[in-house]
Structures are given as structure tokens and as C-alpha cells.
Amino acid sequence: MALNEQIKKFYTVLGQNGKDALKELRRHFPNDYNLNEMTHDAAEDFIAQNPTQNKALLIGVEIGKHIAMATRPKLLNAKFSEEIGYYAQRQIGHLPQEQLCVALLDAQLSVIGWETIFVGSLTHVQASPREIFQRALHANALGFMIVHNHPSGNLKPSDADVQFSQRLKLLGEQMTVPMLDSFIVTRDSYWSMSENAQLKIIV
């Protein structure tokens, strides 16, 4: 929705004539960028024309500026497998049920999100690639890694673990949202499929 339409809708919701209110705003701020560059005096002059509604609009503009500048916090860097492995151990290595988590990465390979995708039984999780890629795309992530725990303490991946991870890697390449690694963690250690060359897809 164009900004002018949003402004009209704002005033209409407040019981004002949206078209007239927009015309008044554009008299004070002809261009969108004028709202970013407004001086204190310009804001006060505008507010004086319609104190409650115009002040509410400018508060909304300020809120929008802060939201636009907001970024996800960087939890850790994923350039080194051991950093992710040890972090994942602390998060889920001790849990009695299997969990599958996704680490969402930005362009600098910083982890900008750590989300639990599935919680399973004592022996397995039911995982869907759709949910994993939805999380990555929603976060505008450059790529991702997956992590799941083995409550049994057996660190080695099963054939199903490897096949699922290879499938995600292939889908990631096709969607240009690459999966960079797949980890298994227990209470005592971690296993990186990338380090152990298990993500190579044989066609």
C-alpha cells in the first residue's frame, strides 16, 4: 500500500476525512523524505492544525523509523563448527526428547536466530523441510544450519539423519538458501556432518 493511502486510512480510522487530512499533511511535508527530515518547528506547526490526530501520526512515524532500523541480535558466529557445536550442546544436548533446531545465518555467518522446529519422541523427530525453509525465508536469512540431539548418547548420525540432511542441502541449493551444516549433539559432544564429509550428494 502506498504511503498516501496508508495516511488516509490512518485518519479515516480516527474518524477524520482522510482525503482532507492527507492534503493538509502534504502542505507541510510535500515529499516522503520531508517526514524524515522534519525540524521541531515544522512538527509543532503541523501538530497545531489538528493536535490529537497529527501528533498521533508523527508518533507513528517515529515508531516506524525505529522498526525499520531494528535488526535481529547476533547470538554467535558460525564460521567455526565448534562454536555452533558447543552452543548447541548447551541448548539441547541434555534434553530427554529429541529436538530439531535451526540456526539462521546472515551474510557474515552470524547466527541471527535459533528456533526449535520440532520436538519428537524419545527416539526420533518428525521433520518437514517446508517448516525449516519457511523460518529461514521469514527471517531473510542468507543460509542456515540444522541441529538435533540424540538423548541416547549415540553421537553418530543414522542413515535417515544423513539422507534428510542431504535432502535439505540439495533443496537449499535449489532455493539459494543454503544449508551449511547439520549437527548432532549429545550431553558430552557434537558431530558435524560437514566436517565429516557427509553432506556430499552423490547423483
Side-chain angles (χ1 to χ4, degrees):
M1 185 185 296
L3 182 58
N4 283 349
E5 293 303 313
Q6 291 177 320
I7 291 169
K8 285 196 288 187
K9 185 175 180 180
F10 171 85
Y11 282 104
T12 300
V13 167
L14 295 180
Q16 302 285 297
N17 184 306
K19 188 175 180 180
D20 290 345
L22 175 63
K23 187 181 296 184
E24 178 64 23
L25 179 137
R26 286 308 184 190
R27 187 172 69 82
H28 288 266
F29 309 108
N31 305 293
D32 292 353
Y33 61 77
N34 296 135
L35 289 166
N36 273 329
E37 300 173 357
M38 79 175 80
T39 63
H40 176 75
D41 288 344
E44 290 297 314
D45 288 344
F46 176 62
I47 290 170
Q49 305 303 312
N50 189 353
T52 301
Q53 286 78 10
N54 287 359
K55 186 172 183 178
L57 177 72
L58 295 188
I59 290 171
V61 169
E62 288 302 311
I63 292 171
K65 289 179 186 178
H66 286 286
I67 292 173
M69 292 187 295
T71 59
R72 285 173 170 254
K74 293 175 172 56
L75 303 177
L76 70 157
N77 192 276
K79 289 181 180 177
F80 303 102
S81 294
E82 63 182 19
E83 288 193 37
I84 296 290
Y86 292 144
Y87 179 83
Q89 271 183 263
R90 294 193 298 272
Q91 297 298 312
I92 63 173
H94 62 286
L95 298 178
Q97 286 184 304
E98 279 201 30
Q99 290 195 8
L100 176 67
C101 299
V102 59
L104 306 169
L105 310 176
D106 67 9
Q108 287 73 46
L109 298 184
S110 294
V111 178
I112 57 172
W114 178 274
E115 301 183 13
T116 300
I117 305 295
F118 301 101
V119 178
S121 68
L122 288 174
T123 56
H124 67 282
V125 295
Q126 297 295 325
S128 165
R130 179 190 298 274
E131 179 68 16
I132 294 169
F133 283 101
Q134 282 180 342
R135 300 289 183 96
L137 293 170
H138 183 71
N140 198 28
L142 175 78
F144 67 95
M145 298 178 175
I146 61 167
V147 182
H148 77 280
N149 62 320
H150 279 180
S152 66
N154 180 9
L155 192 60
K156 296 295 179 69
S158 66
D159 290 343
D161 290 335
V162 174
Q163 290 169 8
F164 179 70
S165 297
Q166 289 179 345
R167 182 184 174 201
L168 283 179
K169 183 172 176 60
L170 179 60
L171 288 171
E173 291 172 354
Q174 293 171 347
M175 297 177 65
T176 65
V177 185
M179 188 194 77
L180 303 182
D181 207 341
S182 177
F183 288 85
I184 294 169
V185 296
T186 64
R187 184 183 296 273
D188 301 317
S189 192
Y190 75 88
W191 180 277
S192 161
M193 291 194 197
S194 179
E195 284 184 350
N196 288 280
Q198 292 175 305
L199 294 179
K200 295 179 179 178
I201 302 166
I202 301 174
V203 180

